[in-house]
Amino acid sequence: MADIILHHYDASPFAHKVRLMMGHKGLAWKSVVIPMVMPKPDLMPLTGGYRRTPVMQIGADIYCDTRLIAWELEARHPDPTFYPGNGEGLAAILTRWADDNLFLPGVNFVFSNVADKLPPALLADRAKMRGAEPPDPEKLKALTPRLLAAVTPLLETAEALFADSRTFVGGDACGMADYALYHPLWMFTGAGKKVAAALEPYQNLSTWMARVDAVGEGTREEMESGAALDAAREAEPAPVAEPTPDAASPQPGDAVSVLAADKVPEAVTGEVVYVDGRRVTIRREDSQVGVLHQHFPREGYIFAK
Ligand SMILES: N[C@@H](CCC(=O)N[C@@H](CS)C(=O)NCC(=O)O)C(=O)O
């Protein structure tokens, strides 16, 4: 079987969620380290403009978004499951809370603490990505108390999940609900003592975080970005199953542009070749790497004709 290739960078919390997935399944994978900011010249032929981190590649199949990556890894490597105790719904709900409520306040708090150490190019890139002006590092630093006030009730909520000192979010076994909650909190552990101190009052949370950390990242081997492009060029996309569209979905054969619903501007265009209740696959052709299938979750993306 073709290698699992993860396009990522070490500091990315969403990429860390996928690295933990690799650890959970005990997988060997290839690591292509991509730039933290645009431009990402060796990623764009594979993703057609999708710039988020991480992206998973298997041959000429490109998987965008950590939720979809989770489904794909679960389908290909069901054992041990990401969803112990029928926990898929719990994981999905926690994913939304962690991504939509916790992630951005967490980033803002962490960034404010290290504002004077962050590369200006990173602040400028993220501001541009969200259609905003780059923040002045001094002003950002001054916002730290207010940003701590914003994350504190969220940390209280997370701690409350462990009020009965349970081992993992869903009970005795670790799974996707844990990785969903863990990755925005992991950001707090690598940004100096002051940021880490924000977690100190939450003992159950901290004990649980150490348990999740022990899952590890599987067996990682570095790969050059050019080799990943070669792997895509030399492969054919895997055959897709019979599509099961519904009235609200894009239809097979539609030419669509795919846009992240949180308005990250770069759209990806292609032809719909597969759709079901929760995912869409488009076919794209790229001058460097040839024909690709690119997979997206439906939730969180707009498919415009
Ligand atoms: N919904 C996406 C969100 C991914 C995301 O926002 N990742 C951050 C990095 S942690 C990102 O893409 N930042 C901009 C970049 O890396 O270019 C997912 O689940 O994969």
Side-chain angles (χ1 to χ4, degrees):
M1 197 174 43
D3 289 328
I4 298 175
I5 303 171
L6 191 66
H7 298 261
H8 70 138
Y9 49 83
D10 285 305
S12 160
F14 277 95
H16 197 59
K17 180 170 142 190
V18 176
R19 294 190 292 261
L20 287 168
M21 294 182 204
M22 302 295 182
H24 184 106
K25 302 278 188 193
L27 294 173
W29 54 284
K30 299 281 196 293
S31 152
V32 175
V33 174
I34 59 172
M36 282 178 86
V37 297
M38 292 296 271
K40 306 188 185 191
D42 286 349
L43 184 66
M44 291 302 114
L46 298 170
T47 64
Y50 180 87
R51 54 101 22 121
R52 301 301 266 272
T53 310
V55 169
M56 185 172 82
Q57 173 191 353
I58 300 180
D61 283 84
I62 307 296
Y63 301 92
C64 297
D65 201 286
T66 55
R67 282 164 300 161
L68 180 95
I69 292 172
W71 299 333
E72 191 61 32
L73 289 176
E74 181 75 2
R76 288 173 183 256
H77 304 278
D79 222 19
T81 179
F82 284 146
Y83 310 112
N86 194 25
E88 189 160 358
L90 175 66
I93 290 166
L94 209 48
T95 298
R96 283 268 60 87
W97 184 78
D99 290 8
D100 296 350
N101 291 32
L102 182 57
F103 182 72
L104 210 49
V107 170
N108 290 339
F109 172 65
V110 171
F111 273 25
S112 74
N113 270 275
V114 293
D116 44 358
K117 299 192 192 81
L118 290 174
L122 177 64
L123 288 174
D125 177 84
R126 294 303 188 267
K128 188 170 174 217
M129 183 173 112
R130 299 188 185 282
E133 287 300 312
D136 172 334
E138 280 310 310
K139 286 192 184 144
L140 183 57
K141 217 169 172 57
L143 286 176
T144 302
R146 207 190 290 175
L147 295 169
L148 178 61
V151 295
T152 298
L154 304 173
L155 298 176
E156 292 280 340
T157 302
E159 172 78 0
L161 283 169
F162 302 96
D164 60 357
S165 300
R166 63 182 51 212
T167 315
F168 293 106
V169 173
D172 293 335
C174 193
M176 192 56 62
D178 297 281
Y179 310 136
L181 178 64
Y182 180 83
H183 78 94
L185 299 171
W186 172 77
M187 258 187 308
F188 288 63
T189 62
K193 281 191 188 143
K194 269 201 200 148
V195 179
L199 291 177
E200 267 164 26
Y202 308 108
Q203 275 313 305
N204 288 331
L205 200 57
S206 301
T207 308
W208 162 79
M209 284 179 72
R211 281 191 204 111
V212 177
D213 195 47
V215 168
E217 61 173 25
T219 307
R220 166 178 170 167
E221 190 187 327
E222 299 309 316
M223 180 187 234
E224 294 296 326
S225 55
L229 293 170
D230 290 344
R233 193 181 308 108
E234 285 156 16
E236 298 287 326
V240 292
E242 190 59 34
T244 52
D246 53 70
S249 71
Q251 304 298 308
D254 280 356
V256 290
S257 48
V258 187
L259 203 56
D262 61 359
K263 299 202 173 58
V264 171
E266 294 81 3
V268 185
T269 55
E271 182 198 330
V272 175
V273 291
Y274 178 76
V275 56
D276 64 23
R278 61 182 191 175
R279 56 194 281 174
V280 171
T281 303
I282 62 168
R283 178 188 187 279
R284 293 183 33 244
E285 196 154 352
D286 177 87
S287 58
Q288 274 193 61
V289 293
V291 175
L292 302 167
H293 281 176
Q294 191 164 345
H295 309 263
F296 294 91
R298 281 175 66 175
E299 189 191 343
Y301 292 82
I302 296 161
F303 300 86
K305 274 233 263 180

